[in-house]
Amino acid sequence: MTRIHSLMTGPAPLLGENPGRRETRDDYWRAGGYRDLSPDVLFNRVNAAGLRGRGGAGFPAAAKLRAVRASGAVPVVVANGAEGEPGSAKDRWLMRARPHLVLDGMLRAVDMTRAACCYVYVADDEAADSMGRALAEREPVVPTRIVRPEPTYVAGEETAAVRRINGGPALPTAKPPRPFEAGVDGAPTLVANVETLARIALLATRSQIPDSLLLTVSGRGLEPELVEAPVGTSVQALAYRADRLDTPGVLMGGVFGGILDPRRLATALEPAALDAAGSALGCGAVHFLAPGECPVALAADGLVWLAGESSRQCGVCVSGTTALARTMTSVVAGTAEPDDLARLGRWSQSLRRRGACGLLDAAANLAASVLRTFGPLVETHLDGGCPGCAADRTPDADRFRVEPPTVRTTSHPVSAPR
């Protein structure tokens, strides 16, 4: 079962006062939510806070809002809670436990962009039910609909969300145009991660909020945790709490951030420091290897998972992810040749930015991180010399899935709308 923990020195703004129970509308109102605030004042707060999207790409939220608002057409807002990244549970938990925080942020995005309608885009049954009840408890001022994609990695990509809402499959499309230029029904569309929207709602209740991270921490043999921590917390602090200071590697950002060198545990969880370490925070998923586990085998599992999640629209993605997964798996099995390592090195560079979405980039990043950080260990596999890898090992692509913490639902009477 996934636990909840705060590393904040004061209140944890996203976890709230009672993270184990679903927050009702009246709970949220009593905590200061849904209060009137000028959209322009809130936009200035978002801009001053330097809020970046929390879906993985980290794009400045104010820049997205500004682009949609300045389009000259009537926009659409999409609350993106698809959360297809491996090892991440934060978005599903937010929608299950704090649906009114997400809803408040979505409605404030509607106000700031002057949108005419909005969509809640969610693949998880319990999260969709919780958001549906929140919409019934506080009916929004613009038409709002819940749209359900299949729970896949690519379904959360912003053009895939637009395509699904438009009645098609949840598969990425070529860019340009970006959704902020032409999205749902051709209208400029703000596709915002639900955690980003939750933080916008928090900024509406106070001019400043603690700069925190919502992280999903997991690993084989660990009880997963949803952790709220200050920005700048070190990876080492998470490893200490998980009793994994002797970890042989840390898979960062779902799979997009690659495997962090265990000698870099002192790295701060903030973009510049992680970039300097050759990694990235992405969706905030942090997966610690257990002592004795092989980072090369972990990479093979990740590449097999990514190959299976390919939407199979781009030939380069189908062939690229398949080749990376097959070759890394043969390395783990001890059946690869020296030329295979050279091919892995070339592919990890040449396949970047060649697909319609970030899946192929994630695969290239993962392979590159292993070759860069664990080169000697990779070479020991050529003669079957890795003690942590059995020759008949079967790839375990399911190892990354983490369920959100349990959320209790308490029935409260719903009072008249305020």
Side-chain angles (χ1 to χ4, degrees), residues 107-119:
L107 297 179
R108 294 185 188 278
V110 167
D111 287 342
M112 285 187 284
T113 59
R114 306 182 187 96
C117 64
C118 50
Y119 296 85

PDB file of all heavy atoms in Angstrom, residues 107-119:
ATOM      1  N   LEU A 107     -11.237  25.960 -13.048  1.00  0.00           N
ATOM      2  CA  LEU A 107     -12.166  27.067 -13.257  1.00  0.00           C
ATOM      3  C   LEU A 107     -11.444  28.409 -13.265  1.00  0.00           C
ATOM      4  O   LEU A 107     -11.840  29.336 -13.981  1.00  0.00           O
ATOM      5  CB  LEU A 107     -13.250  27.043 -12.186  1.00  0.00           C
ATOM      6  CG  LEU A 107     -14.147  25.790 -12.216  1.00  0.00           C
ATOM      7  CD1 LEU A 107     -15.173  25.837 -11.096  1.00  0.00           C
ATOM      8  CD2 LEU A 107     -14.828  25.641 -13.569  1.00  0.00           C
ATOM      9  N   ARG A 108     -10.384  28.520 -12.504  1.00  0.00           N
ATOM     10  CA  ARG A 108      -9.603  29.769 -12.532  1.00  0.00           C
ATOM     11  C   ARG A 108      -8.825  29.888 -13.844  1.00  0.00           C
ATOM     12  O   ARG A 108      -8.634  30.992 -14.353  1.00  0.00           O
ATOM     13  CB  ARG A 108      -8.695  29.845 -11.319  1.00  0.00           C
ATOM     14  CG  ARG A 108      -9.494  29.969 -10.018  1.00  0.00           C
ATOM     15  CD  ARG A 108      -8.631  30.158  -8.812  1.00  0.00           C
ATOM     16  NE  ARG A 108      -9.414  30.074  -7.590  1.00  0.00           N
ATOM     17  CZ  ARG A 108     -10.125  31.069  -7.069  1.00  0.00           C
ATOM     18  NH1 ARG A 108     -10.185  32.235  -7.699  1.00  0.00           N
ATOM     19  NH2 ARG A 108     -10.800  30.901  -5.942  1.00  0.00           N
ATOM     20  N   ALA A 109      -8.396  28.760 -14.410  1.00  0.00           N
ATOM     21  CA  ALA A 109      -7.782  28.798 -15.732  1.00  0.00           C
ATOM     22  C   ALA A 109      -8.802  29.227 -16.782  1.00  0.00           C
ATOM     23  O   ALA A 109      -8.472  29.947 -17.727  1.00  0.00           O
ATOM     24  CB  ALA A 109      -7.199  27.428 -16.079  1.00  0.00           C
ATOM     25  N   VAL A 110     -10.050  28.792 -16.609  1.00  0.00           N
ATOM     26  CA  VAL A 110     -11.130  29.241 -17.490  1.00  0.00           C
ATOM     27  C   VAL A 110     -11.268  30.759 -17.409  1.00  0.00           C
ATOM     28  O   VAL A 110     -11.370  31.457 -18.425  1.00  0.00           O
ATOM     29  CB  VAL A 110     -12.454  28.546 -17.116  1.00  0.00           C
ATOM     30  CG1 VAL A 110     -13.642  29.229 -17.787  1.00  0.00           C
ATOM     31  CG2 VAL A 110     -12.417  27.076 -17.506  1.00  0.00           C
ATOM     32  N   ASP A 111     -11.266  31.292 -16.189  1.00  0.00           N
ATOM     33  CA  ASP A 111     -11.390  32.746 -16.018  1.00  0.00           C
ATOM     34  C   ASP A 111     -10.211  33.489 -16.644  1.00  0.00           C
ATOM     35  O   ASP A 111     -10.383  34.519 -17.308  1.00  0.00           O
ATOM     36  CB  ASP A 111     -11.470  33.095 -14.529  1.00  0.00           C
ATOM     37  CG  ASP A 111     -12.806  32.712 -13.909  1.00  0.00           C
ATOM     38  OD1 ASP A 111     -13.769  32.498 -14.669  1.00  0.00           O
ATOM     39  OD2 ASP A 111     -12.872  32.628 -12.667  1.00  0.00           O
ATOM     40  N   MET A 112      -9.004  32.981 -16.415  1.00  0.00           N
ATOM     41  CA  MET A 112      -7.816  33.683 -16.914  1.00  0.00           C
ATOM     42  C   MET A 112      -7.709  33.656 -18.430  1.00  0.00           C
ATOM     43  O   MET A 112      -7.146  34.566 -19.040  1.00  0.00           O
ATOM     44  CB  MET A 112      -6.551  33.089 -16.275  1.00  0.00           C
ATOM     45  CG  MET A 112      -6.347  33.501 -14.826  1.00  0.00           C
ATOM     46  SD  MET A 112      -4.742  32.961 -14.170  1.00  0.00           S
ATOM     47  CE  MET A 112      -5.050  31.217 -13.923  1.00  0.00           C
ATOM     48  N   THR A 113      -8.222  32.597 -19.062  1.00  0.00           N
ATOM     49  CA  THR A 113      -8.130  32.488 -20.520  1.00  0.00           C
ATOM     50  C   THR A 113      -9.416  32.916 -21.217  1.00  0.00           C
ATOM     51  O   THR A 113      -9.448  32.985 -22.446  1.00  0.00           O
ATOM     52  CB  THR A 113      -7.816  31.037 -20.932  1.00  0.00           C
ATOM     53  OG1 THR A 113      -8.854  30.172 -20.440  1.00  0.00           O
ATOM     54  CG2 THR A 113      -6.468  30.588 -20.391  1.00  0.00           C
ATOM     55  N   ARG A 114     -10.475  33.146 -20.428  1.00  0.00           N
ATOM     56  CA  ARG A 114     -11.801  33.484 -20.966  1.00  0.00           C
ATOM     57  C   ARG A 114     -12.331  32.340 -21.830  1.00  0.00           C
ATOM     58  O   ARG A 114     -12.924  32.548 -22.911  1.00  0.00           O
ATOM     59  CB  ARG A 114     -11.769  34.783 -21.756  1.00  0.00           C
ATOM     60  CG  ARG A 114     -11.181  35.963 -20.990  1.00  0.00           C
ATOM     61  CD  ARG A 114     -11.208  37.243 -21.808  1.00  0.00           C
ATOM     62  NE  ARG A 114     -10.478  38.311 -21.107  1.00  0.00           N
ATOM     63  CZ  ARG A 114      -9.219  38.623 -21.344  1.00  0.00           C
ATOM     64  NH1 ARG A 114      -8.531  37.927 -22.238  1.00  0.00           N
ATOM     65  NH2 ARG A 114      -8.631  39.606 -20.690  1.00  0.00           N
ATOM     66  N   ALA A 115     -12.123  31.121 -21.362  1.00  0.00           N
ATOM     67  CA  ALA A 115     -12.550  29.933 -22.106  1.00  0.00           C
ATOM     68  C   ALA A 115     -14.066  29.756 -22.034  1.00  0.00           C
ATOM     69  O   ALA A 115     -14.729  30.213 -21.098  1.00  0.00           O
ATOM     70  CB  ALA A 115     -11.846  28.691 -21.557  1.00  0.00           C
ATOM     71  N   ALA A 116     -14.603  29.038 -23.036  1.00  0.00           N
ATOM     72  CA  ALA A 116     -16.048  28.824 -23.112  1.00  0.00           C
ATOM     73  C   ALA A 116     -16.461  27.462 -22.574  1.00  0.00           C
ATOM     74  O   ALA A 116     -17.641  27.249 -22.268  1.00  0.00           O
ATOM     75  CB  ALA A 116     -16.517  28.960 -24.557  1.00  0.00           C
ATOM     76  N   CYS A 117     -15.522  26.537 -22.462  1.00  0.00           N
ATOM     77  CA  CYS A 117     -15.849  25.207 -21.945  1.00  0.00           C
ATOM     78  C   CYS A 117     -14.572  24.534 -21.470  1.00  0.00           C
ATOM     79  O   CYS A 117     -13.463  25.001 -21.747  1.00  0.00           O
ATOM     80  CB  CYS A 117     -16.549  24.349 -23.006  1.00  0.00           C
ATOM     81  SG  CYS A 117     -15.533  23.975 -24.451  1.00  0.00           S
ATOM     82  N   CYS A 118     -14.736  23.448 -20.745  1.00  0.00           N
ATOM     83  CA  CYS A 118     -13.555  22.714 -20.282  1.00  0.00           C
ATOM     84  C   CYS A 118     -13.840  21.224 -20.203  1.00  0.00           C
ATOM     85  O   CYS A 118     -15.001  20.784 -20.205  1.00  0.00           O
ATOM     86  CB  CYS A 118     -13.039  23.261 -18.956  1.00  0.00           C
ATOM     87  SG  CYS A 118     -14.248  23.469 -17.670  1.00  0.00           S
ATOM     88  N   TYR A 119     -12.764  20.465 -20.127  1.00  0.00           N
ATOM     89  CA  TYR A 119     -12.821  19.007 -20.088  1.00  0.00           C
ATOM     90  C   TYR A 119     -11.905  18.500 -18.982  1.00  0.00           C
ATOM     91  O   TYR A 119     -10.808  19.035 -18.789  1.00  0.00           O
ATOM     92  CB  TYR A 119     -12.374  18.409 -21.423  1.00  0.00           C
ATOM     93  CG  TYR A 119     -13.268  18.758 -22.581  1.00  0.00           C
ATOM     94  CD1 TYR A 119     -13.083  19.951 -23.284  1.00  0.00           C
ATOM     95  CD2 TYR A 119     -14.295  17.903 -22.977  1.00  0.00           C
ATOM     96  CE1 TYR A 119     -13.902  20.278 -24.348  1.00  0.00           C
ATOM     97  CE2 TYR A 119     -15.123  18.225 -24.038  1.00  0.00           C
ATOM     98  CZ  TYR A 119     -14.922  19.418 -24.725  1.00  0.00           C
ATOM     99  OH  TYR A 119     -15.739  19.747 -25.776  1.00  0.00           O
TER     100      TYR A 119
END
